[in-house]
Amino acid sequence: MRKWKISVLFLLCLFFLFPDQGRKIHANAKVDSDAPVDPPKVEEKIGAVPNGLSTDSDVAKREAESMSRRTLRANAEKFEFQAEVSRLMDILINSLYSNKDIFLRELISNASDALDKIRFLSLTDKEVLGEGDNAKLEMQIKLDKAKKILSIRDRGIGMTKDDLIKNLGTIAKSGTSAFVEKMQTSGDLNLIGQFGVGFYSVYLVADYVEVISKHNDDKQHVWESKADGAFAISEDEWNEPLGRGTEIRLHLRDEAQEYLDEYKLKELVKKYSEFINFPIHLWASKEVDEEVPADEDESSVDEKTSESKSSEEEEEDSDIDEDEKKPKTKTVKKTTYEWELLNDVKAIWLRNPKEVTDEEYTKFYHSLAKDFGDERPLTWSHFTAEGDVEFKAVLFVPPKAPHDLYENYYKSNKSNLKLYVRRVFISDEFDELLPKYLNFLRGLVDSDTLPLNVSREMLQQHSSLKTIKKKLIRKALDMIRKIADEDPDESNDKDKKDIEESSDSEDKKGQYTKFWNEFGRSIKLGIIEDATNRNRLAKLLRFETNKSDGKLTSLDQYISRMKSGQKDIFYITGTSKEQLEKSPFLERLTKKNYEVILFADPVDEYMMQYLMDYEDKKFQNVSKEGLKIGKDSKDKELKKSFKELTKWWKGALANENIDDVKISNRLSGSPCVVVTSKYGWSANMERIMQSQTLSDSRKQSYMRGKRVLEINPRHPIIKELRERVVKDPEDENVKQTAQLMYQTALLESGFILNDPKEFASRIYSSVKNSLRISPDATVEEEDDVEEAEAESNTKETGSSSKSEEAPQEDVKDEL
């Protein structure tokens, strides 16, 4: 009995002794925080999760506890943010960023920088990369929808404890208050590229952030903060060992749950980080078909159906060997997870253009333009610019113009040219990169010299963009000019033989005509808007003439075909080519074999107000004053003989705003025509301005050119009028004829009549005279007999209908 009591007392002593010892060990661990701690046991890679690590149960449990927490660890070392950082974070959290989506761009950009640094170090020391998964320079994005966590991991250089304090606790580089004040006044803080500024955009979508980082020269640490003015750093004893690199875990806000959608993340990566040098993987779900054994219930149903078979079928089934019968299975949908590569399109602009094939350029264009058709771009230009500003660019001319290219020409700010800085997408809304008339071009610009850590507004004002713009315009125009130079249809007869000998001449035949039909109006708008490059754009101008047989002609080709002694380039504007070819203004020019440009696009009227000359040749509108076609020795005699008629006619048209009546040198078959003054609006321009919805009538009267009636002295009508005027200048019939001829000439010259009713009345009077109808004859008045007959007819029909209804009523009574 005594022995039993002694043994019980001994066990009780041991029971109380061991808990105290455990508490002492735990206290010693807290005091000696710098003591080396054995790393968690890591199992062999089992392959169930590609590129991932598998840990023992204790590590997995601690990691789960770490990921689910939203409070700072009790044993972590506490710090306060630099004053400017607190202000900066306050600005960011209060939505100074116009677009919250860019937080992912910032984090991927930071990860790319970290990977670049470790790759640079590995050039001189390959051991810094390590072995196995650590040597893979990549990024991984993972979602935990249950815990509302988005994590981004890279295998870059990582950060030591001091790096975490320095990079995430102070503003990158200067850290001055002036920088923060500039950002406060700026409307959109799209900051890019480095830890210290772009990193803080995470608080747009997260209320608690963990940064787990492992540098080769330090242990693995955890940086954590709730954006409340403080952050904490502790040695990581909970999470899976990274080996090397950084993992950022964003505990998303309730209003930011959209970023737990795989499709949303794929879209953001494609938009902003598609051309990052390093692979970006997403742990994505995927549904696959899988064969599984059929359930017992289903098998029993199959047995019942098999029993209902006919006897003949049963005999056939009995002949089948039981060993050959397969187990019954069914197909079910199963969700699996695997790493999906998001940026499979390579940044071909970083390669040597000689090493890139046409197929690679075409594939890159389709990816860049989101064009899923089969057509190749018309041409492209891949170049590198050096000097004060260095950048690489790829420009494409699409095969077709968008249907709304010119509908919102002056309203749309979006360009099809994307700006990248170090492979990170910045914006496609920079008007400073290309002028509006070249907004049909597709492509991108990637610069390593543009400043980082600046807002978009500050970048738009950067002087480097002006230099980039000049070089891009020059390259774009050279690229378009190349289409014409390589097109056999565009070359002269001397050059055709050399071009036809090339193997790809058939593919390039007619390419410039195709370009002009799609984008020709853009070249015309460029002549209006870009005075610096107006002459270069004029070389790209194409048009039809009265001698081109429907083919396009350039100004250089026109000049090469000019007649000897011709000093001006002749052109005419109107509504259609067919109408212009029949214009009376071309009669004598065509007869003397002069070539005239036919402009039928409304934009042409505006363009020719800016295109005054080309290659020392002046442009002459043949529907305006100043046309000179050789010299006629009889001009002076004709003017003298018709002086009385022209003077009389000018007086007869005193109320018609006619400036003068002259002898014409441009008519051959028509009796007269109306031309405008050299610096006023043409007839076509007047019609265009009158059709404008918000046109100003006062401005129209001011800009309208003075009209001059030109008469053909060789026409029989004009000769007869001269004789009639000499006999009786006060003859009313002659005055009416002169008025009618003037109004007819107005219509034929392209003008709109002020009083069409008056013109119609004169036409009808002329018809009366030709039919020898008395001028006093009037229109017969309509009699009222027809109306009386109509009333009587209605009465008769009413009485007859009543008489027809009477028998029906009698039938009803009989029934």
Side-chain angles (χ1 to χ4, degrees), residues 573-637:
T573 60
T575 56
S576 68
K577 174 192 170 187
E578 292 74 19
Q579 178 233 351
L580 291 175
E581 287 177 331
K582 299 175 183 178
S583 173
F585 295 108
L586 303 187
E587 290 177 354
R588 196 173 180 201
L589 288 166
T590 304
K591 188 176 181 180
K592 288 184 172 292
N593 203 28
Y594 282 96
E595 188 171 14
V596 182
I597 299 171
L598 308 177
F599 284 134
D601 191 343
V603 179
D604 296 333
E605 276 286 353
Y606 296 93
M607 177 186 69
M608 296 312 296
Q609 294 179 16
Y610 294 87
L611 191 62
M612 300 296 183
D613 56 74
Y614 178 79
E615 300 293 342
D616 298 329
K617 302 289 184 182
K618 298 289 184 180
F619 285 93
Q620 173 63 52
N621 189 337
V622 298
S623 67
K624 290 188 175 185
E625 282 185 312
L627 179 65
K628 296 179 180 179
I629 310 174
K631 291 184 179 181
D632 193 339
S633 58
K634 298 182 179 180
D635 283 349
K636 291 183 178 180
E637 296 179 6

Side-chain angles (χ1 to χ4, degrees), residues 654-683:
N655 297 327
E656 299 290 344
N657 193 26
I658 279 290
D659 187 56
D660 202 359
V661 179
K662 296 181 178 179
I663 300 298
S664 178
N665 64 340
R666 70 187 84 210
L667 297 176
S668 176
S670 298
C672 56
V673 73
V674 178
V675 301
T676 56
S677 56
K678 192 170 186 178
Y679 299 104
W681 283 347
S682 65

Side-chain angles (χ1 to χ4, degrees), residues 453-576:
N453 289 342
V454 293
S455 69
R456 181 178 296 174
E457 284 76 11
M458 294 169 65
L459 187 57
Q460 285 176 329
Q461 298 172 4
H462 199 271
S463 59
S464 300
L465 289 180
K466 295 180 180 179
T467 305
I468 294 176
K469 182 177 181 179
K470 289 180 181 179
K471 294 182 179 180
L472 285 176
I473 294 175
R474 186 173 68 250
K475 287 291 184 179
L477 298 183
D478 290 343
M479 174 178 62
I480 297 172
R481 179 74 182 272
K482 184 181 176 183
I483 302 176
D485 292 342
E486 295 178 352
D487 188 347
D489 293 342
E490 287 284 320
S491 59
N492 296 323
D493 294 336
K494 296 180 180 179
D495 303 329
K496 278 186 178 179
K497 295 181 180 179
D498 298 334
I499 295 177
E500 287 175 356
E501 292 177 358
S502 61
S503 58
D504 58 347
S505 60
E506 287 298 323
D507 296 336
K508 296 178 179 179
K509 190 173 183 179
Q511 286 292 85
Y512 195 78
T513 300
K514 183 178 180 181
F515 165 82
W516 184 258
N517 292 335
E518 296 291 336
F519 307 106
R521 186 172 292 182
S522 295
I523 303 300
K524 297 176 182 179
L525 290 169
I527 293 175
I528 297 171
E529 299 170 3
D530 192 353
T532 305
N533 296 287
R534 187 165 292 153
N535 193 63
R536 301 182 69 189
L537 287 163
K539 289 184 178 295
L540 303 175
L541 190 63
R542 296 295 183 271
F543 42 81
E544 292 185 44
T545 71
N546 60 336
K547 297 174 63 176
S548 63
D549 296 327
K551 295 181 180 180
L552 293 178
T553 301
S554 67
L555 286 173
D556 290 330
Q557 291 172 339
Y558 178 94
I559 292 175
S560 67
R561 298 195 294 261
M562 287 174 63
K563 291 185 65 174
S564 59
Q566 181 181 346
K567 297 180 180 180
D568 298 334
I569 299 174
F570 298 137
Y571 75 93
I572 187 173
T573 60
T575 56
S576 68

Side-chain angles (χ1 to χ4, degrees), residues 277-496:
N277 287 338
F278 304 98
I280 304 172
H281 293 95
L282 174 67
W283 186 242
S285 60
K286 183 180 180 182
E287 284 192 352
V288 296
D289 294 333
E290 185 176 355
E291 296 288 337
V292 298
D295 297 337
E296 293 181 0
D297 296 339
E298 294 182 3
S299 61
S300 63
V301 173
D302 294 340
E303 290 175 1
K304 290 179 181 179
T305 55
S306 63
E307 290 176 359
S308 63
K309 290 182 179 180
S310 62
S311 58
E312 294 179 0
E313 291 175 345
E314 289 178 357
E315 290 177 0
E316 292 177 0
D317 292 341
S318 62
D319 295 337
I320 301 175
D321 190 359
E322 293 182 358
D323 295 337
E324 296 179 357
K325 291 182 179 180
K326 298 181 180 179
K328 296 178 179 179
T329 61
K330 65 177 181 178
T331 302
V332 296
K333 294 285 186 182
K334 185 178 180 181
T335 301
T336 61
Y337 287 85
E338 62 182 10
W339 290 110
E340 180 181 342
L341 182 63
L342 302 183
N343 57 335
D344 55 342
V345 180
K346 302 301 180 184
I348 64 172
W349 66 86
L350 301 177
R351 297 164 55 187
N352 189 334
K354 296 179 180 179
E355 300 174 357
V356 185
T357 64
D358 291 352
E359 289 73 18
E360 288 177 312
Y361 279 119
T362 302
K363 180 182 177 183
F364 181 75
Y365 164 76
H366 288 309
S367 173
L368 185 71
K370 302 296 183 291
D371 182 359
F372 303 104
D374 298 329
E375 289 189 84
R376 292 173 54 181
L378 293 179
T379 189
W380 54 81
S381 178
H382 180 186
F383 60 94
T384 300
E386 298 179 350
D388 298 337
V389 180
E390 296 183 0
F391 66 91
K392 296 178 175 64
V394 182
L395 300 177
F396 294 93
V397 177
K400 290 183 178 179
H403 66 280
D404 58 346
L405 179 60
Y406 302 109
E407 290 180 6
N408 298 315
Y409 181 77
Y410 290 106
K411 295 180 181 179
S412 176
N413 291 325
K414 188 173 182 179
S415 170
N416 292 318
L417 194 65
K418 298 183 178 181
L419 174 64
Y420 286 75
V421 175
R422 302 177 188 176
R423 272 75 62 200
V424 178
F425 174 67
I426 304 304
S427 176
D428 57 0
E429 297 180 358
F430 279 110
D431 289 338
E432 287 76 9
L433 285 179
L434 275 181
K436 281 187 178 295
Y437 70 88
L438 291 176
N439 62 358
F440 64 89
L441 296 178
R442 301 273 184 173
L444 59 84
V445 178
D446 186 7
S447 175
D448 289 341
T449 58
L450 281 176
L452 297 174
N453 289 342
V454 293
S455 69
R456 181 178 296 174
E457 284 76 11
M458 294 169 65
L459 187 57
Q460 285 176 329
Q461 298 172 4
H462 199 271
S463 59
S464 300
L465 289 180
K466 295 180 180 179
T467 305
I468 294 176
K469 182 177 181 179
K470 289 180 181 179
K471 294 182 179 180
L472 285 176
I473 294 175
R474 186 173 68 250
K475 287 291 184 179
L477 298 183
D478 290 343
M479 174 178 62
I480 297 172
R481 179 74 182 272
K482 184 181 176 183
I483 302 176
D485 292 342
E486 295 178 352
D487 188 347
D489 293 342
E490 287 284 320
S491 59
N492 296 323
D493 294 336
K494 296 180 180 179
D495 303 329
K496 278 186 178 179

Side-chain angles (χ1 to χ4, degrees), residues 189-206:
L189 296 180
N190 286 328
L191 311 174
I192 61 172
Q194 298 177 357
F195 271 105
V197 176
F199 168 76
Y200 299 129
S201 64
V202 296
Y203 290 106
L204 297 170
V205 296

